[in-house]
Structure formats: C-alpha cells, structure tokens
Amino acid sequence: MSVPSLNVSIFDSAVYSPLFSYPPMHELWSDTAMVQAWLDYEIALASAQAQLGVIPQAAADAIAKAARLEHIDWQQLADDTRKVGMAVKPVVDQVAAAGNEQVKHYLHWGSTTQDLLDSGQAMRLAKALALIKMQLQQVIKQLAAMANTHRHTLMVARTNAQDASPSTWGFHVSGYLSEFCRHYQRLAQITPRATTGMYGSAIGNLSSAGPNGIAIRNLLLDKLGLPRPVGQWNASHDSLVEVIQFFALVHGSLQRIANDVELMSRASIAELREGEEGGGSSTMPHKANPRAANSIQAMARLGWMYASSAPNMLDQTDVRSSAARMLDWSLLPESCLAVSGALHRGEKMLTHLHVNSEQMRENFKASRHLIMSESVMMKVADKVGRDQGYRLVKEAIARHQDSSMQLEDILLTSPELMQYFSYDELKAACDPANHLGANDALIDEALAFAKVLLD
C-alpha cells in the first residue's frame, strides 16, 4: 500500500491508526459519511415538505435523484469550502447544479447551514453511540464471564499499593463490571439529548419555513430518526459537552483495568499476562510488554484531554458562534474515535487475558500471610474483645517483624494467643478462603445488574 503523505493524526496514520482506531467508528466520521448525512437531510426535508404540501412532490423526487454522492466533485468542494469557510453551501450548490429547475427552486427550502451541520452531526453521532453501546455490551459480557469463572480464585487485595486482605479475582473484576453497567445506563440517558436534530432557519425561529415550520421540523426529524428539540436550540452545545465528558468516565474505567493488568503482569507479581500477540522489545528478547494496556492508557489521556477541552464548545455568543462550533469538527469525532478504540482494545485484552491462579495463591507468601491478621484478630476478639484481640496479634507480629516467618508460625510462638486457639482453629483462621465475607453474594449482585441491563 502507498503511504499517504498528508496524514498527521494518529487516527488517520497508516502506521499508528491500527493501534488507536476502530474501523467501523472511523468510517462514521469520514468526509464521505459527513456529506452523505447532509444529502440524506436534504432528501428527508424535501420529502417532509412535499408530504405537507409545502413543495411539489415532483420537486422532492427530483431532489432525491440529484442528492447523491456521485454528483459531488470533491476537489471543487474543497476549493469552495476554503473560500466560503463552511462546506454546506458548496454541497448545496453542487446538488442544485446536478438537478433540474425544480431542484434549483426548492432545494434547502427554509433551511440554513446550521440545520445541516447539527442534524448531520446528530445522525452520525447516533450511529457512533449505537456502536459504543454494542462495544460496552461486549465488555460487560467479558467481565461478567470472568467474574463468575474466577469467583473462587483467591488473590491478595491491595490498597495503597500494599497487601491488604484476601479476595478473589472474580470479586475484583465484579467492581469493573458494576462500573461498566453504570456507563451503560448513562449512555441510554444521554443519547436522546446528544442526538437531537435541528431545523430552525437562520436564528432558530423557523422564520423562513412558513406557517408549517413546526410540522416540517417534526416530520423531518422523525424521518431522520432524531429526537426533536425543545424550543430554541441554536447556541446550545451542552449535550455534546455531556457526551464527551461521559466518554471520559468510560476511559477512567478502562484505565483502571489497564493499570491493574500492567501492574499485576510484573515479573515480581505475575498474576496476569496479556495474551495477544506482540509486545516485544527491540533489544531485550525476553520481554513481552503489555501493549494493550499501554494503548488504553494513552487513549484515556487523549479522552481526558478532549473532556477538558469540551466546555470551550459552550463559549457561544448571540444566537450562535461559528468559531466555537468549529470545535465540533475535531473534538466530537476524535473523542468518539478515542473511546471506541479504547473499548475495542479493552475487549480484546480481556478476551485474551491469562489469569495465573496458582501465582495469585502463591503471592500470599510475599506478605508472610500477615494479611490474615484481621481474620485472626476477629477470632480472638470473639473471646476477649476487639481491643485486647488487636493488641495480642499486633504484639506477636511485632516480635518477629524482621524475620521471614509466616503468620501461622508466628502465632504458634505466642502462648498468650494460643490459649484461645486449638491448632485447627488457628489454621482455619489463617486460611484466606475463610475470610472472604460476602464475596459470592456481592459478585451475584453485579452479575444480576448486568443481566438486567443486557436482557
């Protein structure tokens, strides 16, 4: 393949785009998809107007024949856009030139540039959010399966980067699962707001649409499958900012998983390992770098950058400001590409993830099983009270702070403690499997949450 010389963005780069782009999402934000959405708008507008008797049916039929991609001269469109500053009028002019006198007379009737920009963008965003919904479903299914499969896979839970208490990998994953379920709920809530269509004439009051303006707007947007706006809409960008901020939340959850995979795949921990091909070093033959996690982490930073920039889209004046609106052309497509690419990479990472259950169990030794001290303390507390139980266990551990003895052996050297235990009771208290609390019930809650959403 020949390498295009003008590609700068990582999303369009012939080299880097496979790492950052999900092809179906990339296609939705292409120039071809943009212009096709505008043509679909003009066809639907003419159809609605003809249905309501505003323009002749013959004119609507002629517009449908003229508004086709094959009639677009892309070089002329680029040249005219440079002169006009917007691409809508050049597209309308080319469609008019491709049609008969009725097309020239009735095309774009009662509409304005913003109507095409906003409605065309909403049409593409609706498809983008539907794709993201599907990707969220895939991630949720992967996490649910993993949580259920590994509900009894014992592991060390860590807080503040230190060994804390026994857990299971399934319980840990159920935390990811619940987050993604909440994202799925959020997406359903914001989609109607983010994909609202537009038909309002120059300043949004339908002044050039005639007495049937509201009826035309409603029928047009119904034909396009877009929600109707409520009242004046021209300068409002809050819903687009909201959707980009939502993407930042999804990036946060993916980042958390990627961070855990990266940390837990270290040779000194070795509890997880990415299973996709690649990740090799150019100089160290033994290395298998966590490239999926790295890509997700990079895309999260991009997503958070877009989210921090998105409020600039609210910087409007008067009825509308083209300067702020031009930010849509970059922020919205790129934020969609980043979150979709991250979800795609995350789903693949989860699908191929290797879970080393034996090493997870072995890693309890790294802390000398001291993380079971809470379990022992609570057993003693049943007999002597919490304060006394805590003191006895802490003192026993302190006497062997610099040794390599495991907790069970340490406690056996403490007659003050052993007077409250038989050996079997002590062994049971030091067994991580006996200190998991409501592990299974909490996993079941997360699984039920996911099932209700996806059914």
Side-chain angles (χ1 to χ4, degrees), residues 29 42 52 70 75 101 119 123 159-160 177 187 198 212 245 255 299 305 311 357 381 409 413:
W29 295 103
E42 293 291 3
L52 293 170
E70 59 260 33
Q75 185 58 57
E101 288 305 313
S119 292
M123 292 160 66
T159 60
N160 300 311
L177 175 61
L187 179 59
M198 181 69 186
N212 294 320
Q245 301 286 3
Q255 174 86 336
M299 283 185 275
M305 180 181 70
S357 56
D409 296 327
T413 68

Side-chain angles (χ1 to χ4, degrees), residues 247-249 251-252 255 299-309:
F247 293 161
L249 297 178
H251 280 297
Q255 174 86 336
M299 283 185 275
R301 287 165 172 80
L302 283 175
W304 295 336
M305 180 181 70
Y306 298 135
S308 67
S309 299

Side-chain angles (χ1 to χ4, degrees), residues 96-163:
N100 60 20
E101 288 305 313
Q102 286 190 312
V103 174
K104 293 178 176 62
H105 188 114
Y106 290 108
L107 178 68
H108 203 59
W109 192 262
S111 193
T112 190
T113 291
Q114 185 179 357
D115 295 335
L116 262 75
L117 288 175
D118 284 9
S119 292
Q121 181 172 266
M123 292 160 66
R124 289 181 291 154
L125 182 57
K127 293 177 181 178
L129 295 181
L131 182 57
I132 289 169
K133 177 181 179 181
M134 181 197 73
Q135 292 185 281
L136 285 173
Q137 289 173 340
Q138 292 172 338
V139 170
I140 288 170
K141 288 176 182 177
Q142 288 288 344
L143 292 172
M146 188 177 293
N148 190 47
T149 298
H150 291 281
R151 64 168 59 231
H152 298 140
T153 300
L154 288 167
M155 66 170 288
V156 174
R158 301 171 180 95
T159 60
N160 300 311
Q162 303 297 312
D163 292 0

Side-chain angles (χ1 to χ4, degrees), residues 285-413:
H286 70 283
K287 288 196 74 178
N289 296 304
R291 291 306 187 206
N294 296 160
S295 294
I296 291 167
Q297 291 161 337
M299 283 185 275
R301 287 165 172 80
L302 283 175
W304 295 336
M305 180 181 70
Y306 298 135
S308 67
S309 299
N312 287 286
M313 298 161 72
L314 301 173
D315 186 13
Q316 299 284 331
T317 55
D318 300 320
V319 177
R320 68 168 174 262
S321 169
S322 293
R325 192 166 295 278
M326 289 178 183
L327 295 176
D328 299 8
W329 307 347
S330 176
L331 283 177
L332 191 60
E334 290 183 28
S335 64
C336 285
L337 287 167
V339 75
S340 182
L343 283 166
H344 178 61
R345 202 66 196 267
E347 192 270 334
K348 287 179 63 179
M349 181 179 71
L350 290 168
T351 300
H352 296 94
L353 190 65
H354 291 285
V355 180
N356 190 338
S357 56
E358 292 183 4
Q359 188 60 42
M360 285 183 171
R361 185 66 179 84
E362 182 69 14
N363 282 345
F364 281 87
K365 292 181 179 178
S367 67
R368 300 155 58 204
H369 281 79
L370 294 180
I371 65 172
M372 297 309 301
S373 64
E374 181 189 50
S375 171
V376 175
M377 183 270 290
M378 292 304 296
K379 296 297 183 184
V380 180
D382 282 340
K383 301 176 182 180
V384 300
R386 188 186 181 284
D387 286 348
Q388 177 72 347
Y390 183 92
R391 183 185 63 78
L392 289 172
V393 174
K394 187 174 181 65
E395 288 177 352
I397 293 172
R399 286 193 291 270
H400 299 276
Q401 193 68 44
D402 297 325
S403 78
S404 60
M405 294 173 64
Q406 298 290 311
L407 178 63
E408 184 179 323
D409 296 327
I410 289 173
L411 298 178
L412 285 171
T413 68

Side-chain angles (χ1 to χ4, degrees), residues 148-351:
N148 190 47
T149 298
H150 291 281
R151 64 168 59 231
H152 298 140
T153 300
L154 288 167
M155 66 170 288
V156 174
R158 301 171 180 95
T159 60
N160 300 311
Q162 303 297 312
D163 292 0
S165 196
S167 183
T168 71
W169 177 239
F171 179 65
H172 192 77
V173 170
S174 73
Y176 307 146
L177 175 61
S178 293
E179 282 191 32
F180 277 93
C181 286
R182 292 191 291 274
H183 295 327
Y184 194 81
Q185 289 179 315
R186 292 183 181 104
L187 179 59
Q189 294 163 356
I190 68 174
T191 294
R193 294 194 291 272
T195 58
T196 299
M198 181 69 186
Y199 175 70
S201 302
I203 62 169
N205 64 357
L206 296 160
S207 56
S208 61
N212 294 320
I214 294 291
I216 295 170
R217 181 199 70 182
N218 293 346
L219 184 56
L220 163 64
L221 297 184
D222 289 349
K223 286 177 178 292
L224 294 177
L226 300 176
R228 303 169 182 175
V230 176
Q232 212 268 13
W233 195 254
N234 282 47
S236 299
H237 261 56
D238 54 296
S239 296
L240 295 182
V241 175
E242 180 184 23
V243 80
I244 296 174
Q245 301 286 3
F246 161 70
F247 293 161
L249 297 178
V250 176
H251 280 297
S253 296
L254 288 167
Q255 174 86 336
R256 186 159 80 91
I257 298 175
N259 287 346
D260 285 347
V261 170
E262 182 182 54
L263 290 171
M264 295 169 70
S265 66
R266 288 180 174 178
S268 56
I269 299 177
E271 295 174 344
L272 300 176
R273 177 171 59 83
E274 288 188 9
E276 297 178 70
E277 294 181 355
S281 164
S282 63
T283 187
M284 292 171 282
H286 70 283
K287 288 196 74 178
N289 296 304
R291 291 306 187 206
N294 296 160
S295 294
I296 291 167
Q297 291 161 337
M299 283 185 275
R301 287 165 172 80
L302 283 175
W304 295 336
M305 180 181 70
Y306 298 135
S308 67
S309 299
N312 287 286
M313 298 161 72
L314 301 173
D315 186 13
Q316 299 284 331
T317 55
D318 300 320
V319 177
R320 68 168 174 262
S321 169
S322 293
R325 192 166 295 278
M326 289 178 183
L327 295 176
D328 299 8
W329 307 347
S330 176
L331 283 177
L332 191 60
E334 290 183 28
S335 64
C336 285
L337 287 167
V339 75
S340 182
L343 283 166
H344 178 61
R345 202 66 196 267
E347 192 270 334
K348 287 179 63 179
M349 181 179 71
L350 290 168
T351 300

